[in-house]
Amino acid sequence: KGFQETWLKLKTSFLASDKTATDHRSLSHNFLDYLISYTLFEYLVGGLDAALLIHNEGLEVLKTKHTKTLTSASAIQRNQSKSIYDYFGTDYKLYMEEVIASYSHLVYRHYHSIPTTPPSILRNTLSAGLKDNPLSLPLILAFIELEERSKISGRIRLHFDKTCPELGSTALWLLAIKIEDSPERIKSLFERALQEDSATRRSPQLWLHYIDFEVEQNNLDAAKNVLLRAIRAVPWFKEVWLRCIKNTTKMLEVHEIVDLLRLMAEKEIRLRIEIPEF
């Protein structure tokens, strides 16, 4: 009863708060700490279903507060009083991440502690968490681990196929590539990540990993093609030019090396590395 009364008071004051940014953050932290503690308490007393009710209730409160605050902040911004970034909206993503990560960890521990727990319990929790927080590395890794235990790769691929193009994250593309064991699938992912209309088209790390992949596969003609594409896509990134010089004798003909050196001179690329003899 004491937990419920305090929870109701905190929800009411949190939603009604119209304080300064500093005071509001203090109140928000109190709300989050209590939400996480109350969720754990309900789990210990009533089990996972009881904990889920409090968790979902807390998420709805955060979403309601976010919507309300953005509306208020936009009105204030029109009056040139404060910037929208002084308000709760700037912290919303962090608050959601903290709550989702805490509950997901709770379900993760429950799943591994009680062997009879259906995998769908954890899968549904992780899927819901990734919907609100698709870049969360702990959630992604837990999801991958669960699906690998079940020897199912389809759901992982579907998740990455959807989120990688939408979010345009280099880290997410590299993670999707790392868990693959099919060279054809890996090549396809690299091509999708680096196509003309992709947000990660100019990601140096993706280009370097793609070059290394083709070299490791001993596809030297393909590696040369990727390398030359990388020069056009990220000419300002010196490591690409370094990779060219280091692999010249493997991939490039003499006239291509001469053209490359001439192009480097034109672009004023200075590299402190010995050029291999050829």
Side-chain angles (χ1 to χ4, degrees), residues 14 17 19-32 35 58-59 61-63 65-67 69-70 73 83-100 132-133:
F14 179 65
S17 172
K19 299 181 178 181
T20 64
T22 302
D23 290 339
H24 192 80
R25 284 195 177 94
S26 177
L27 180 61
S28 299
H29 290 153
N30 290 339
F31 173 79
L32 290 178
L35 169 58
L59 289 182
V61 171
L62 284 171
K63 290 175 182 177
K65 182 64 177 178
H66 183 233
T67 302
T69 305
L70 287 180
S83 165
I84 193 173
Y85 299 106
D86 290 329
Y87 289 85
F88 173 76
T90 57
D91 295 323
Y92 171 72
K93 186 172 182 289
L94 295 176
Y95 295 158
M96 289 291 287
E97 285 179 3
E98 185 176 349
V99 172
I100 291 171
D132 285 318
N133 188 15

Side-chain angles (χ1 to χ4, degrees), residues 71-122:
T71 302
S72 300
S74 296
I76 292 173
Q77 191 179 30
R78 286 196 295 271
N79 295 329
Q80 298 181 348
S81 174
K82 276 185 177 290
S83 165
I84 193 173
Y85 299 106
D86 290 329
Y87 289 85
F88 173 76
T90 57
D91 295 323
Y92 171 72
K93 186 172 182 289
L94 295 176
Y95 295 158
M96 289 291 287
E97 285 179 3
E98 185 176 349
V99 172
I100 291 171
S102 175
Y103 181 72
S104 299
H105 182 68
L106 174 64
V107 178
Y108 181 86
R109 293 292 299 271
H110 176 87
Y111 172 75
H112 285 279
S113 300
I114 302 177
T116 56
T117 304
S120 59
I121 298 290
L122 179 57

Side-chain angles (χ1 to χ4, degrees), residues 125-144:
T125 299
L126 295 173
S127 296
L130 285 169
K131 184 177 179 180
D132 285 318
N133 188 15
L135 289 175
S136 171
L137 184 58
L139 295 184
I140 292 172
L141 293 178
F143 185 60
I144 291 172

Side-chain angles (χ1 to χ4, degrees), residues 176-187:
I177 290 165
K178 184 176 178 57
I179 65 171
E180 286 292 342
D181 53 12
S182 164
E184 292 77 14
R185 170 76 178 171
I186 292 172
K187 187 177 182 68

Side-chain angles (χ1 to χ4, degrees), residues 45 50 60 95 110 133 136 151 171 173 201 226 238 246 268:
V45 173
E60 285 305 311
Y95 295 158
H110 176 87
N133 188 15
S136 171
K151 301 189 183 304
W173 277 113
R201 161 90 178 149
V226 174
K238 283 192 174 183
K246 290 176 181 177
E268 298 183 352

Side-chain angles (χ1 to χ4, degrees), residues 44-272:
L44 295 173
V45 173
L48 207 53
D49 289 340
L52 179 60
L53 288 175
I54 301 302
H55 170 71
N56 286 338
E57 189 176 341
L59 289 182
E60 285 305 311
V61 171
L62 284 171
K63 290 175 182 177
T64 301
K65 182 64 177 178
H66 183 233
T67 302
K68 177 182 175 183
T69 305
L70 287 180
T71 302
S72 300
S74 296
I76 292 173
Q77 191 179 30
R78 286 196 295 271
N79 295 329
Q80 298 181 348
S81 174
K82 276 185 177 290
S83 165
I84 193 173
Y85 299 106
D86 290 329
Y87 289 85
F88 173 76
T90 57
D91 295 323
Y92 171 72
K93 186 172 182 289
L94 295 176
Y95 295 158
M96 289 291 287
E97 285 179 3
E98 185 176 349
V99 172
I100 291 171
S102 175
Y103 181 72
S104 299
H105 182 68
L106 174 64
V107 178
Y108 181 86
R109 293 292 299 271
H110 176 87
Y111 172 75
H112 285 279
S113 300
I114 302 177
T116 56
T117 304
S120 59
I121 298 290
L122 179 57
R123 183 178 297 114
N124 292 340
T125 299
L126 295 173
S127 296
L130 285 169
K131 184 177 179 180
D132 285 318
N133 188 15
L135 289 175
S136 171
L137 184 58
L139 295 184
I140 292 172
L141 293 178
F143 185 60
I144 291 172
E145 178 192 325
L146 176 65
E147 297 303 271
E148 286 181 343
R149 279 172 172 263
S150 304
K151 301 189 183 304
I152 299 174
S153 60
R155 276 187 290 258
I156 299 175
R157 286 176 172 172
L158 284 174
H159 172 74
F160 282 125
D161 284 346
K162 181 177 185 296
T163 56
C164 286
E166 287 181 356
L167 299 176
S169 166
T170 295
L172 210 56
W173 277 113
L174 289 175
L175 188 56
I177 290 165
K178 184 176 178 57
I179 65 171
E180 286 292 342
D181 53 12
S182 164
E184 292 77 14
R185 170 76 178 171
I186 292 172
K187 187 177 182 68
S188 173
L189 287 171
F190 274 123
E191 286 296 331
R192 288 178 59 201
L194 295 168
Q195 63 189 7
E196 289 292 339
D197 59 346
S198 173
T200 49
R201 161 90 178 149
R202 299 191 181 279
S203 168
Q205 292 305 318
L206 279 169
W207 284 111
L208 290 179
H209 278 83
Y210 195 4
I211 294 167
D212 290 343
F213 165 74
E214 294 290 16
V215 171
E216 288 169 5
Q217 295 294 311
N218 203 33
N219 297 329
L220 298 186
D221 288 340
K224 180 176 73 173
N225 180 49
V226 174
L227 192 149
L228 296 176
R229 287 167 59 195
I231 289 175
R232 290 193 295 271
V234 288
W236 42 267
F237 191 64
K238 283 192 174 183
E239 184 61 33
V240 169
W241 297 94
L242 284 170
R243 203 61 56 96
C244 286
I245 298 301
K246 290 176 181 177
N247 292 285
T248 49
T249 56
K250 290 182 181 179
M251 294 185 292
L252 302 179
E253 301 293 336
V254 172
H255 71 277
E256 292 174 318
I257 297 173
V258 172
D259 289 342
L260 177 65
L261 295 175
R262 185 181 296 114
L263 181 60
M264 290 172 61
E266 290 176 1
K267 292 184 176 293
E268 298 183 352
I269 302 293
R270 305 284 190 268
L271 299 178
R272 296 184 178 178

